[in-house]
Amino acid sequence: MKNKINIAILIGVFLSFQAYALESPFPSRLTDEGITIPNASVVGEGQGRVLRGSMPINTERDNIDQLVRAKVNHVLIFKTSVKGDVEKEIEALKTAGFEENQIHAVDFAWKEIKDYKLACLQTLDGLSFLRDAYNTKGKTVYLHCTVGEDRTGYLSGLFRQITEHGTADKYFKEEMCENGYEAGNPQKPQNVVKAIRESLTPLYFQMSELIRTKKITLDTLDRKACDIKVDNIRAKMPICQKSSRLQ
């Protein structure tokens, strides 16, 4: 009987994760531009624009045409490939007219981040691609991971720090938690929330410290900064509450 109960629990966790993984419950904030992709919004506007959101193509939908019509001309895929989804998206983007140099994929994990230097370098790689669009008139880049909440929120929060010069806590709350980072999305399974809090959040505050101390700036994004291991940032990391967008 106990084994049957355990199996039922495991199946429930699996199904809840599957349901969560398909879509973000956060609606697009860019519907006036014709983009209905879940959790789509503006991260920053300089000479060019930086947008964020969920993966534009999955088993349920293909919204790459929306990006094209909205004059998105660069895409940053900030995630590990799952069952070839990154490769499929790259092919779809090329079919839609994107050139090789307009698509950039960074193989960034959302949990069990054990190699700090690699994660730091991958972060700078992503920030550099966003910076290029932000500083260039006529460029619009769309940043996404899978659901567009955790890895996307992580990179968006850091990008706003180096462009707006606010605090790490400010963007943790308003760019990350408010857009579904960890428990900001109450539909997210607790095992996923726990994994993000253990890996991605500490990395966010480590990278934030490099920004605060100007080891990393919008102009430099110095890869040597990744040789500086930042430890003991806080005794206790902040956590997200349910986003007010879903109240």
Side-chain angles (χ1 to χ4, degrees), residues 157-194:
L158 293 174
F159 189 74
R160 287 189 63 187
Q161 282 184 62
I162 63 174
T163 54
E164 299 177 18
H165 312 295
T167 66
D169 289 280
K170 171 181 170 66
Y171 302 118
F172 181 80
K173 181 178 180 180
E174 68 180 48
E175 184 64 41
M176 297 167 70
C177 297
E178 276 297 284
N179 291 310
Y181 185 82
E182 45 118 317
N185 175 0
Q187 298 177 15
K188 197 166 295 178
Q190 281 304 303
N191 62 317
V192 176
V193 171
K194 181 175 183 291

Side-chain angles (χ1 to χ4, degrees), residues 50-152:
V50 176
L51 311 180
R52 63 170 285 181
S54 298
M55 198 169 192
I57 180 171
N58 61 23
T59 57
E60 303 296 318
R61 55 181 169 75
D62 182 350
N63 297 131
I64 288 176
D65 60 324
Q66 293 185 5
L67 299 182
V68 173
R69 288 196 297 270
K71 297 183 179 179
V72 170
N73 45 33
H74 288 73
V75 174
L76 174 57
I77 305 169
F78 198 65
K79 68 184 295 297
T80 52
S81 184
V82 179
K83 296 182 179 180
D85 58 355
V86 169
E87 293 76 13
K88 289 174 185 175
E89 180 183 342
I90 289 173
E91 282 305 308
L93 287 167
K94 288 179 178 178
T95 299
F98 285 79
E99 300 291 337
E100 193 89 40
N101 64 355
Q102 294 176 305
I103 308 165
H104 190 53
V106 178
D107 186 21
F108 192 80
W110 62 272
K111 64 176 181 176
E112 298 176 357
I113 301 171
K114 297 174 181 177
D115 189 334
Y116 165 78
K117 184 172 181 179
L118 174 61
C120 178
L121 291 171
Q122 289 175 326
T123 300
L124 293 187
D125 188 9
L127 290 173
S128 178
F129 195 75
L130 297 183
R131 176 188 65 182
D132 182 57
Y134 181 82
N135 284 339
T136 306
K137 187 176 181 179
K139 282 190 177 183
T140 297
V141 62
Y142 181 80
L143 157 68
H144 73 83
C145 49
T146 301
V147 184
E149 294 177 349
D150 300 310
R151 286 167 290 193
T152 298

